[in-house]
Amino acid sequence: MANYYDSMKKKNLIIFGTRPEAIKMAPLVKAFLKNNFFETKVCVTAQHREMLDQVLDFFEITPDFDLNLMKPGQNLYSLTADIITGLQPVLEEFKPDFVYVHGDTTTTMGASIASFYSGAKVCHIEAGLRTFNKKSPFPEEINRTITGHIADYHFAPTRTANDNLLREGIKKESILITGNTVIDALLESVSRVDNLDDVEINNLKTEVDFTKRIILVTGHRRENHGQGFVNICNALKKIGESVDNVQIIYPVHLNPKVQKPVYDILGKLENIKLIAPLAYPAFVWLMSKCELVITDSGGVQEEAPSLGKPVLVMRDTTERPEAVDAGTVILVGTNEEKIVNETLSLLNNPEKYLSMSKLHNPYGDGNASKRIVEFIQNIGK
Ligand code: UD1
Ligand code: UDP
């Protein structure tokens, strides 16, 4: 039974639904659970299922509420509605003072609307990133912008993100520049993975040909579905065919709109290894061992420069301009020729490679979660 002291505690509800949100919220969950000032609970929408569970397992997080919403081939309309209606009983039962949402997914936007209806203060982690193009990333740019205008507190990873919010009229006092919690997660994990006795890492050690130059690929963005993925796959095929000391490793996202073109076009090629999505420790391990990353991912764009890996980003815009400005990331879009040319140029030009692989960490110092907890604790006092 709760005692008087417990009943005085401020209540936190941390809500997330997809793999990247889980990775980036895990350090915050840990930091709040250690803090006696708060009663903290975790709710997952399970917008993703298997890819979310991989993260929950590694970080040993057991959700207090699990909406279990993922449906194969789900669409934005019904997912949004299910998130909002699914959260109502959770919010009404727990009555949180503060709700934490992360980033730009459908879960982020739906949870911020539902939490606003409930009267809780909404805290937006990874706030303020913008491309200013509502179609790219789609629908994430608008999800993040809506959440930014609902949120009471904004945790901006960088000064650029902070300045975007100020320009939109968000009050200075409600913003804190924290660094990105992805770096908290990465630094904690990278120090563990080398000595981890992990099945997936052990498999990679035997199945990947590390005598070759390893290119790590990921991709999933909605705006790249269709022709974009066909171009990406044709580019990877050309790279695999034109350089013989290269191995491309591609953990393929579970979205059927990604699986189909990738397995159809790249399924049986010698230098290309398609594998299931890796759990976070194995992915971090492989990223630290590869030579180059080609991706359309938001999170991977932030992690790879912190490991000194050059990144080619298969998008026309990015809400993460910091590493592009620093020269460790190049935007190549989904143009087949550009992907091939930039990859070959990096593989064949050691000077270019070295200048792009400078260890660069514009996204944080590993203490973002600590700063968020301190900020909320000071409000709660
Ligand atoms: C979602 C987010 C995107 C984020 C990405 C991270 C939105 C609109 N999109 O996109 O911002 O970058 O997650 O990966 O919120 N699936 C599975 N198992 C899983 C996960 C997905 O089978 O564990 C399949 C299902 O068929 C599901 C489909 O993938 O319906 C699409 O999932 P969804 O979350 O809607 O879109 P993503 O492209 O993953
Ligand atoms: N990731 C992973 N396993 C994989 C591929 C990626 O754990 O097979 C991690 C990666 O380290 C990063 C996050 O997933 O932290 C990125 O997720 P995703 O690309 O799906 O989403 P985005 O960041 O684009 O929203």
Side-chain angles (χ1 to χ4, degrees):
M1 217 173 63
N3 59 30
Y4 172 74
Y5 177 70
D6 281 339
S7 70
M8 296 297 288
K9 287 183 179 179
K10 293 286 177 191
K11 293 205 249 177
N12 284 330
L13 185 64
I14 301 181
I15 304 177
F16 52 90
T18 64
R19 168 174 70 190
E21 294 165 80
I23 292 168
K24 291 170 167 183
M25 284 296 220
L28 189 67
V29 171
K30 299 270 175 197
F32 270 128
L33 286 175
K34 275 197 283 197
N35 186 307
N36 273 329
F37 189 80
F38 300 98
E39 178 187 1
T40 298
K41 293 201 176 190
V42 172
C43 174
V44 295
T45 62
Q47 172 178 337
H48 284 174
R49 187 70 274 172
E50 302 89 329
M51 285 159 54
L52 172 73
D53 292 343
Q54 285 180 318
V55 184
L56 296 175
D57 285 349
F58 175 63
F59 287 100
E60 296 176 324
I61 295 171
T62 309
D64 300 279
F65 306 96
D66 187 336
L67 305 186
N68 197 22
L69 293 180
M70 195 196 86
K71 295 193 183 91
Q74 62 206 2
N75 69 63
L76 295 173
Y77 305 90
S78 59
L79 179 63
T80 304
D82 289 349
I83 290 167
I84 296 175
T85 51
L87 283 171
Q88 182 185 358
V90 175
L91 291 161
E92 288 180 356
E93 179 193 323
F94 183 51
K95 300 189 175 54
D97 298 290
F98 299 102
V99 172
Y100 301 81
V101 295
H102 182 280
D104 60 7
T105 69
T106 303
T107 290
T108 317
M109 189 264 293
S112 61
I113 292 174
S115 305
F116 164 65
Y117 292 160
S118 82
K121 297 280 186 209
V122 176
C123 309
H124 188 195
I125 319 298
E126 202 186 74
L129 281 65
R130 298 284 187 273
T131 61
F132 304 101
N133 176 345
K134 65 182 179 185
K135 298 234 171 98
S136 175
F138 175 86
E140 289 82 2
E141 175 74 2
I142 290 302
N143 285 344
R144 200 188 297 268
T145 307
I146 291 172
T147 303
H149 287 270
I150 290 173
D152 298 280
Y153 303 110
H154 311 258
F155 298 101
T158 63
R159 177 149 306 275
T160 310
N162 169 78
D163 294 351
N164 290 339
L165 290 168
L166 291 177
R167 270 196 298 275
E168 288 176 17
I170 304 291
K171 290 205 173 59
K172 195 164 103 223
E173 315 75 72
S174 67
I175 310 174
L176 181 71
I177 302 176
T178 56
N180 198 310
T181 57
V182 77
I183 305 298
D184 303 17
L186 182 69
L187 295 184
E188 201 228 296
S189 309
V190 91
S191 60
R192 284 168 61 192
V193 291
D194 258 339
N195 300 317
L196 204 66
D197 184 18
D198 176 85
V199 179
E200 278 188 333
I201 295 177
N202 293 338
N203 284 344
L204 289 171
K205 282 180 186 164
T206 54
E207 284 170 20
V208 176
D209 184 355
F210 285 103
T211 62
K212 294 193 169 172
R213 306 173 78 180
I214 304 300
I215 300 180
L216 178 59
V217 177
T218 78
H220 67 84
R221 299 237 78 85
R222 264 184 167 70
E223 64 274 16
N224 291 345
H225 292 174
Q227 190 57 42
F229 264 95
V230 172
N231 297 346
I232 289 171
C233 291
N234 286 336
L236 295 174
K237 190 172 167 192
K238 254 192 201 153
I239 295 163
E241 283 166 355
S242 50
V243 199
D244 60 5
N245 63 340
V246 147
Q247 192 172 33
I248 296 173
I249 316 288
Y250 184 170
V252 188
H253 191 289
L254 295 178
N255 193 330
K257 296 212 165 100
V258 176
Q259 292 260 320
K260 183 152 180 14
V262 172
Y263 277 92
D264 282 355
I265 302 173
L266 303 176
K268 295 189 185 84
L269 299 177
E270 207 178 309
N271 293 345
I272 303 185
K273 198 169 172 48
L274 304 180
I275 55 177
L278 291 165
Y280 185 61
F283 188 77
V284 168
W285 183 85
L286 188 56
M287 198 163 32
S288 73
K289 304 285 179 240
C290 77
E291 183 161 340
L292 164 68
V293 177
I294 307 182
T295 188
D296 67 13
S297 162
V300 177
Q301 240 178 103
E302 295 158 338
E303 294 163 336
S306 308
L307 297 174
K309 305 298 172 182
V311 189
L312 300 182
V313 174
M314 298 180 293
R315 295 170 53 173
D316 298 320
T317 58
T318 181
E319 64 281 51
R320 294 168 170 88
E322 294 83 356
V324 179
D325 294 344
T328 56
V329 161
I330 296 178
L331 294 185
V332 290
T334 54
N335 179 301
E336 185 181 323
E337 210 182 312
K338 204 157 180 199
I339 299 171
V340 175
N341 290 345
E342 285 294 352
T343 304
L344 297 185
S345 144
L346 264 171
L347 291 176
N348 295 331
N349 183 341
E351 266 172 37
K352 181 170 176 178
Y353 182 86
L354 272 179
S355 83
M356 270 189 84
S357 64
K358 277 196 296 277
L359 248 193
H360 186 69
N361 196 344
Y363 296 111
D365 62 0
N367 292 312
S369 312
K370 196 167 144 242
R371 293 189 184 100
I372 296 167
V373 172
E374 278 168 11
F375 181 93
I376 298 292
Q377 189 159 346
N378 284 332
I379 294 166
K381 272 178 186 158

